Amino acid sequence: MVGIGGSVDEGSQSDRVLRAVLSDVTALGGKVEVFSGLDLDLPPYHSGAVLPEPAHDYVAAVRAADALVISSPGYHGTVSGLVKNALDYLEELRTDRRPYLDGRAVGLIAVAGGWQASVGTLGTLRQVVHALRGWPTPLGLAINSRVTTFDERGGTDDDSTRTAVGIMARQVMDFPRR
Ligand SMILES: Cc1cc2nc3c(=O)[nH]c(=O)nc-3n(C[C@H](O)[C@H](O)[C@H](O)COP(=O)(O)O)c2cc1C
């Protein structure tokens, strides 16, 4: 399972929610690899150019993954440039036996400082994953970081969001097993 997302900001909530889902995945027996924040500080994707060294592990991990979790902050109403650029690098998987995210379940998380951007960003992530031939899980997480916060250990006092984190972990684990 590969986790992608977060921001470069200290205490990034989109990073913390991503890691909370992945921690539940680990508890369910999944093996996870995370590329978050500065791990994704890659130059703008250029199709056909030599892949920059830091992108090699990232692209290889997605190629090998059975499922993914993607978490974006809402920036100016939509997916952040950092996360979208990371998704653009998946163009490298175009000619694979399983192109792009073909056949893979993808849990989607959007975290913004308001509902409009969190809900809008979740919808956009679904569109991007459909374009990449992935299967967004039925449950997506749209989180307003002014209402719900996660601590550095992935804990939150918002019980319904904590429950939703666990459901997403189960959905991304169930799909590849089926
Ligand atoms: C450049 C930038 C643009 C942002 N735009 C929005 C926005 O349009 N709507 C909103 O609700 N929050 C916006 N935010 C706030 C983030 O969505 C918020 O901090 C959220 O917690 C996700 O970011 P984080 O992972 O760094 O915590 C913006 C933050 C930054 C840095």
Side-chain angles (χ1 to χ4, degrees):
M1 178 96 50
V2 169
I4 301 169
S7 79
V8 297
D9 288 351
E10 182 75 26
S12 163
Q13 287 293 308
S14 52
D15 171 74
R16 288 182 179 178
V17 183
L18 174 68
R19 290 176 192 275
V21 173
L22 294 174
S23 158
D24 281 15
V25 164
T26 304
L28 292 169
K31 190 176 152 207
V32 305
E33 204 167 346
V34 192
F35 296 87
S36 181
L38 283 174
D39 301 330
L40 301 174
D41 194 12
L42 304 168
Y45 180 69
H46 284 210
S47 65
V50 176
L51 208 59
E53 183 63 33
H56 287 197
D57 287 353
Y58 164 64
V59 170
V62 176
R63 177 173 279 134
D66 294 319
L68 295 97
V69 180
I70 301 173
S71 176
S72 181
Y75 276 10
H76 304 147
T78 191
V79 178
S80 71
L82 185 97
V83 171
K84 183 57 171 63
N85 186 45
L87 296 176
D88 290 347
Y89 272 80
L90 303 185
E91 184 62 16
E92 294 296 311
L93 308 181
R94 184 171 59 89
T95 56
D96 280 19
R97 184 179 53 81
R98 297 188 299 180
Y100 303 111
L101 302 180
D102 187 53
R104 262 71 66 85
V106 188
L108 295 171
I109 303 163
V111 183
W115 290 116
Q116 181 167 278
S118 56
V119 173
T121 299
L122 178 62
T124 302
L125 283 173
R126 284 185 172 136
Q127 285 187 319
V128 173
V129 168
H130 281 149
L132 291 170
R133 308 187 197 180
W135 296 73
T137 56
L139 181 76
L141 299 178
I143 295 175
N144 181 338
S145 60
R146 288 179 194 268
V147 175
T148 300
T149 50
F150 281 71
D151 61 32
E152 63 277 10
R153 297 170 57 191
T156 177
D157 54 14
D158 179 341
D159 291 342
S160 68
T161 301
R162 182 59 237 177
T163 300
V165 161
I167 293 170
M168 174 170 286
R170 284 202 296 283
Q171 290 187 349
V172 282
M173 285 296 280
D174 277 355
F175 191 92
R177 282 178 175 151
R178 281 163 200 258

